Protein backbone atom coordinates (compact mmCIF):
# COMPACT_ATOMS: atom_id res chain seq x y z
CA UNK A 1 0.00 0.00 0.00
CA UNK A 2 1.02 3.56 -0.62
CA UNK A 3 1.98 5.10 2.74
CA UNK A 4 0.37 8.36 1.61
CA UNK A 5 -3.06 6.72 1.74
CA UNK A 6 -2.75 6.40 5.51
CA UNK A 7 -3.63 9.30 7.78
CA UNK A 8 -0.60 11.10 9.16
CA UNK A 9 -1.08 12.58 12.62
CA UNK A 10 1.31 14.82 14.52
CA UNK A 11 0.27 15.04 18.17
CA UNK A 12 1.80 17.08 20.96
CA UNK A 13 1.80 15.61 24.46
CA UNK A 14 2.23 18.56 26.78
CA UNK A 15 2.47 16.22 29.79
CA UNK A 16 2.21 18.23 33.07
CA UNK A 17 3.09 21.55 31.50
CA UNK A 18 1.28 24.88 31.04
CA UNK A 19 -1.46 26.47 33.12
CA UNK A 20 -4.96 27.04 31.75
CA UNK A 21 -4.09 30.71 31.03
CA UNK A 22 -0.92 29.70 29.23
CA UNK A 23 -2.86 27.11 27.24
CA UNK A 24 -5.37 29.76 26.11
CA UNK A 25 -2.54 31.78 24.55
CA UNK A 26 -0.36 28.94 23.32
CA UNK A 27 -3.14 27.23 21.39
CA UNK A 28 -3.58 30.47 19.43
CA UNK A 29 -0.02 29.90 18.15
CA UNK A 30 -0.73 26.25 17.30
CA UNK A 31 -4.02 26.80 15.44
CA UNK A 32 -2.46 28.35 12.30
CA UNK A 33 0.10 25.54 12.22
CA UNK A 34 -2.77 23.03 12.08
CA UNK A 35 -4.64 25.08 9.48
CA UNK A 36 -1.62 25.06 7.15
CA UNK A 37 -0.76 21.40 7.71
CA UNK A 38 -1.10 18.49 5.30
CA UNK A 39 -1.74 16.16 8.22
CA UNK A 40 -3.96 16.06 11.31
CA UNK A 41 -2.55 18.02 14.22
CA UNK A 42 -3.51 17.35 17.84
CA UNK A 43 -2.58 18.96 21.16
CA UNK A 44 -3.00 16.67 24.18
CA UNK A 45 -3.17 18.97 27.17
CA UNK A 46 -3.63 18.61 30.95
CA UNK A 47 -7.26 18.10 32.06
CA UNK A 48 -7.51 21.60 33.53
CA UNK A 49 -6.36 23.15 30.23
CA UNK A 50 -8.91 21.32 28.06
CA UNK A 51 -11.64 23.91 28.17
CA UNK A 52 -9.35 26.84 27.32
CA UNK A 53 -7.56 24.83 24.65
CA UNK A 54 -10.88 23.91 23.04
CA UNK A 55 -12.03 27.54 23.13
CA UNK A 56 -8.79 28.76 21.52
CA UNK A 57 -8.81 26.01 18.89
CA UNK A 58 -12.44 26.63 17.89
CA UNK A 59 -12.76 27.42 14.20
CA UNK A 60 -9.31 25.97 13.40
CA UNK A 61 -8.29 22.49 12.32
CA UNK A 62 -6.36 21.88 15.54
CA UNK A 63 -7.78 18.94 17.48
CA UNK A 64 -7.61 18.71 21.25
CA UNK A 65 -6.85 15.61 23.26
CA UNK A 66 -6.56 14.56 26.90
CA UNK A 67 -3.69 12.52 28.33
CA UNK A 68 -5.58 9.87 30.30
CA UNK A 69 -9.04 8.78 31.43
CA UNK A 70 -10.68 6.33 33.80
CA UNK A 71 -12.43 3.32 32.28
CA UNK A 72 -15.57 3.53 34.42
CA UNK A 73 -18.36 5.82 33.22
CA UNK A 74 -18.94 7.35 36.67
CA UNK A 75 -18.95 6.59 40.37
CA UNK A 76 -16.79 6.60 43.46
CA UNK A 77 -13.37 7.09 41.85
CA UNK A 78 -12.07 10.23 43.56
CA UNK A 79 -9.85 12.32 41.33
CA UNK A 80 -10.64 10.47 38.13
CA UNK A 81 -12.14 11.63 34.82
CA UNK A 82 -14.33 9.49 32.55
CA UNK A 83 -14.51 9.19 28.78
CA UNK A 84 -18.03 10.64 28.78
CA UNK A 85 -16.83 13.72 30.66
CA UNK A 86 -14.12 14.32 28.06
CA UNK A 87 -16.50 13.71 25.17
CA UNK A 88 -19.01 16.15 26.64
CA UNK A 89 -16.33 18.87 26.71
CA UNK A 90 -15.68 18.38 23.00
CA UNK A 91 -12.42 16.47 23.32
CA UNK A 92 -11.60 14.24 20.33
CA UNK A 93 -8.44 12.30 21.24
CA UNK A 94 -7.05 10.73 24.39
CA UNK A 95 -3.58 9.34 25.06
CA UNK A 96 -3.80 5.92 26.73
CA UNK A 97 -1.05 3.84 28.27
CA UNK A 98 1.75 6.37 28.10
CA UNK A 99 4.90 4.86 29.61
CA UNK A 100 4.95 7.55 32.29
CA UNK A 101 1.53 6.34 33.44
CA UNK A 102 2.67 2.72 33.31
CA UNK A 103 5.86 3.63 35.23
CA UNK A 104 4.60 6.09 37.87
CA UNK A 105 0.89 5.29 38.14
CA UNK A 106 0.89 1.50 37.98
CA UNK A 107 -0.97 1.17 34.68
CA UNK A 108 -0.92 -2.33 33.27
CA UNK A 109 -1.75 -3.81 29.90
CA UNK A 110 -5.09 -4.82 31.40
CA UNK A 111 -6.08 -1.32 32.59
CA UNK A 112 -4.83 0.11 29.30
CA UNK A 113 -7.20 -2.27 27.51
CA UNK A 114 -10.14 -1.19 29.70
CA UNK A 115 -9.35 2.45 28.92
CA UNK A 116 -9.13 1.83 25.15
CA UNK A 117 -12.49 0.06 25.17
CA UNK A 118 -14.10 2.79 27.26
CA UNK A 119 -12.69 5.61 25.10
CA UNK A 120 -13.98 4.00 21.90
CA UNK A 121 -17.42 3.39 23.44
CA UNK A 122 -17.66 7.10 24.25
CA UNK A 123 -16.60 8.12 20.74
CA UNK A 124 -13.10 9.26 21.67
CA UNK A 125 -10.05 8.40 19.57
CA UNK A 126 -7.37 6.66 21.63
CA UNK A 127 -3.68 7.28 21.01
CA UNK A 128 -2.45 3.98 22.41
CA UNK A 129 1.18 4.05 23.56
CA UNK A 130 3.43 0.99 23.53
CA UNK A 131 7.17 0.64 23.87
CA UNK A 132 10.01 -1.22 25.51
CA UNK A 133 12.35 -0.29 28.38
CA UNK A 134 16.08 -0.03 27.71
CA UNK A 135 16.70 -3.30 29.61
CA UNK A 136 14.13 -5.03 27.43
CA UNK A 137 15.78 -3.76 24.23
CA UNK A 138 19.15 -4.92 25.52
CA UNK A 139 17.67 -8.33 26.33
CA UNK A 140 16.46 -8.59 22.74
CA UNK A 141 12.77 -8.77 23.66
CA UNK A 142 11.52 -5.52 22.09
CA UNK A 143 9.29 -7.37 19.64
CA UNK A 144 7.77 -9.61 22.33
CA UNK A 145 7.05 -6.66 24.65
CA UNK A 146 5.52 -4.47 21.96
CA UNK A 147 3.52 -7.34 20.49
CA UNK A 148 2.12 -8.27 23.91
CA UNK A 149 1.25 -4.66 24.84
CA UNK A 150 -0.53 -4.18 21.51
CA UNK A 151 -2.41 -7.46 21.65
CA UNK A 152 -3.69 -7.00 25.20
CA UNK A 153 -4.65 -3.36 24.57
CA UNK A 154 -6.83 -4.42 21.64
CA UNK A 155 -8.78 -7.21 23.36
CA UNK A 156 -12.46 -6.71 22.54
CA UNK A 157 -11.77 -4.01 19.94
CA UNK A 158 -13.69 -4.58 16.70
CA UNK A 159 -12.05 -4.13 13.33
CA UNK A 160 -14.44 -1.24 12.54
CA UNK A 161 -12.97 0.71 15.48
CA UNK A 162 -9.39 0.51 14.25
CA UNK A 163 -9.84 3.57 12.04
CA UNK A 164 -10.35 5.59 15.25
CA UNK A 165 -7.22 4.28 16.97
CA UNK A 166 -3.71 5.62 16.62
CA UNK A 167 -0.88 3.49 17.96
CA UNK A 168 2.22 5.32 19.14
CA UNK A 169 5.49 3.41 19.39
CA UNK A 170 7.44 5.12 22.13
CA UNK A 171 10.64 3.35 23.23
CA UNK A 172 10.89 4.33 26.90
CA UNK A 173 14.64 4.89 26.67
CA UNK A 174 14.06 7.58 24.03
CA UNK A 175 11.49 9.62 25.98
CA UNK A 176 12.80 12.93 27.29
CA UNK A 177 16.35 11.68 27.02
CA UNK A 178 17.39 13.32 23.76
CA UNK A 179 18.23 9.77 22.65
CA UNK A 180 16.08 9.15 19.57
CA UNK A 181 15.57 5.73 18.05
CA UNK A 182 17.23 5.65 14.64
CA UNK A 183 14.75 5.94 11.81
CA UNK A 184 15.42 2.27 10.97
CA UNK A 185 14.71 1.19 14.57
CA UNK A 186 11.48 3.22 14.58
CA UNK A 187 10.44 1.80 11.22
CA UNK A 188 11.21 -1.76 12.28
CA UNK A 189 9.11 -1.66 15.46
CA UNK A 190 6.24 0.29 13.85
CA UNK A 191 6.33 -2.50 11.22
CA UNK A 192 6.15 -5.15 13.97
CA UNK A 193 3.05 -3.40 15.36
CA UNK A 194 1.54 -3.38 11.87
CA UNK A 195 2.19 -7.12 11.61
CA UNK A 196 0.33 -7.66 14.91
CA UNK A 197 -2.68 -5.76 13.55
CA UNK A 198 -2.59 -7.95 10.44
CA UNK A 199 -2.54 -11.10 12.61
CA UNK A 200 -5.37 -9.90 14.85
CA UNK A 201 -7.53 -8.48 12.05
CA UNK A 202 -6.30 -8.52 8.46
CA UNK A 203 -3.79 -6.96 6.11
CA UNK A 204 -6.08 -4.14 4.99
CA UNK A 205 -6.71 -3.13 8.59
CA UNK A 206 -2.97 -3.19 9.26
CA UNK A 207 -2.12 -1.11 6.20
CA UNK A 208 -4.77 1.45 7.12
CA UNK A 209 -3.72 1.96 10.75
CA UNK A 210 -1.86 5.12 11.70
CA UNK A 211 1.27 4.27 13.71
CA UNK A 212 3.29 7.10 15.20
CA UNK A 213 6.80 7.25 16.58
CA UNK A 214 7.48 9.15 19.80
CA UNK A 215 10.64 9.74 21.81
CA UNK A 216 12.84 12.83 21.45
CA UNK A 217 11.37 13.62 18.03
CA UNK A 218 12.36 17.19 17.26
CA UNK A 219 12.71 19.81 14.54
CA UNK A 220 16.05 18.29 13.47
CA UNK A 221 15.17 14.60 13.19
CA UNK A 222 11.45 14.62 12.31
CA UNK A 223 11.86 14.58 8.54
CA UNK A 224 14.05 11.49 8.54
CA UNK A 225 11.80 9.59 10.98
CA UNK A 226 8.60 10.54 9.16
CA UNK A 227 10.05 9.46 5.80
CA UNK A 228 9.95 5.82 6.90
CA UNK A 229 7.26 3.57 5.45
CA UNK A 230 5.75 2.42 8.74
CA UNK A 231 5.98 5.79 10.57
CA UNK A 232 2.76 7.74 10.07
CA UNK A 233 3.32 10.61 12.41
CA UNK A 234 4.75 11.57 15.75
CA UNK A 235 3.84 11.90 19.39
CA UNK A 236 5.92 14.83 20.54
CA UNK A 237 6.72 15.75 24.13
CA UNK A 238 9.28 18.47 24.79
CA UNK A 239 9.28 19.89 21.26
CA UNK A 240 5.50 20.36 21.35
CA UNK A 241 5.89 23.07 23.99
CA UNK A 242 7.56 25.47 21.54
CA UNK A 243 5.37 26.49 18.63
CA UNK A 244 8.29 27.13 16.27
CA UNK A 245 9.71 23.63 16.79
CA UNK A 246 6.30 22.00 16.66
CA UNK A 247 5.57 23.87 13.41
CA UNK A 248 8.76 22.51 11.82
CA UNK A 249 7.78 18.96 12.81
CA UNK A 250 4.29 19.42 11.32
CA UNK A 251 5.90 20.77 8.12
CA UNK A 252 8.20 17.75 8.02
CA UNK A 253 5.12 15.56 7.58
CA UNK A 254 4.40 17.17 4.20
P1 LIG B 1 9.79 13.66 24.29
O1 LIG B 1 9.45 14.11 22.90
O2 LIG B 1 9.97 14.81 25.26
O3 LIG B 1 10.92 12.69 24.31
O4 LIG B 1 8.51 12.87 24.84
C1 LIG B 1 7.94 11.90 24.01
C2 LIG B 1 6.68 11.48 24.63
O5 LIG B 1 6.66 10.87 25.68
C3 LIG B 1 5.42 11.83 23.95
O6 LIG B 1 4.35 11.17 24.50
Amino acid sequence: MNKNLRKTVIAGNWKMNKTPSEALEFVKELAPIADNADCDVVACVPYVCLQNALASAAGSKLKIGAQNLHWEAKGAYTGEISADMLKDLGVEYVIIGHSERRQYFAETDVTVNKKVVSALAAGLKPILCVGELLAEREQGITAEIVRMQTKVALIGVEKESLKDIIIAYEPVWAIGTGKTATSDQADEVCGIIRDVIAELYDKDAAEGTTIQYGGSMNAGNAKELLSKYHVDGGLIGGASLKSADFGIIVDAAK
Side-chain angles (χ1 to χ4, degrees), residues 3-4 11 21-22 32 82 84 90 95 102 131 176 192 201 208-209 216 225 228 236 246:
K3 165 186 163 108
N4 295 325
S21 321
E22 287 166 347
S82 75
D84 286 342
I95 296 173
R102 294 178 190 255
I192 289 168
Y201 301 92
T209 301
S216 299
L225 287 160
K228 290 295 173 176
I236 325 295
F246 192 63

Side-chain angles (χ1 to χ4, degrees), residues 43-200:
C44 296
V45 310
Y47 286 138
V48 293
C49 296
L50 283 169
Q51 216 152 7
N52 279 356
L54 285 159
S56 276
S60 81
K61 289 204 268 182
L62 182 70
K63 322 260 192 205
I64 301 298
Q67 300 173 8
N68 182 33
L69 50 63
H70 193 274
W71 60 85
E72 293 291 349
K74 60 181 163 186
Y77 302 99
T78 303
E80 293 295 328
I81 302 286
S82 75
D84 286 342
M85 293 174 186
L86 296 174
K87 184 69 185 172
D88 186 68
L89 268 186
V91 170
E92 189 168 337
Y93 287 89
V94 58
I95 296 173
I96 295 178
H98 191 280
S99 63
E100 285 150 18
R101 297 220 49 94
R102 294 178 190 255
Q103 212 173 341
Y104 307 131
F105 303 99
E107 289 212 359
T108 64
D109 290 343
V110 172
T111 59
V112 167
N113 173 238
K114 289 181 182 194
K115 290 180 180 197
V116 168
V117 169
S118 152
L120 288 170
L124 295 170
K125 296 176 180 163
I127 301 176
L128 162 66
C129 299
V130 298
E132 82 286 3
L133 303 169
L134 181 58
E136 292 165 342
R137 176 161 283 267
E138 288 173 350
Q139 187 69 6
I141 56 173
T142 296
E144 282 98 324
I145 294 293
V146 168
R147 285 175 58 85
M148 175 76 97
Q149 289 176 340
T150 306
K151 282 188 165 183
V152 177
L154 294 176
I155 290 172
V157 173
E158 303 291 335
K159 183 180 158 187
E160 295 68 49
S161 296
L162 278 183
K163 62 175 188 335
D164 295 323
I165 300 184
I166 295 170
I167 301 179
Y169 167 54
E170 297 208 311
V172 180
W173 47 272
I175 294 177
T177 57
K179 209 169 157 185
T180 321
T182 65
S183 56
D184 285 338
Q185 285 171 325
D187 193 45
E188 182 191 8
V189 183
C190 289
I192 289 168
I193 294 167
R194 207 175 296 289
D195 288 345
V196 174
I197 307 285
E199 290 164 28
L200 290 175

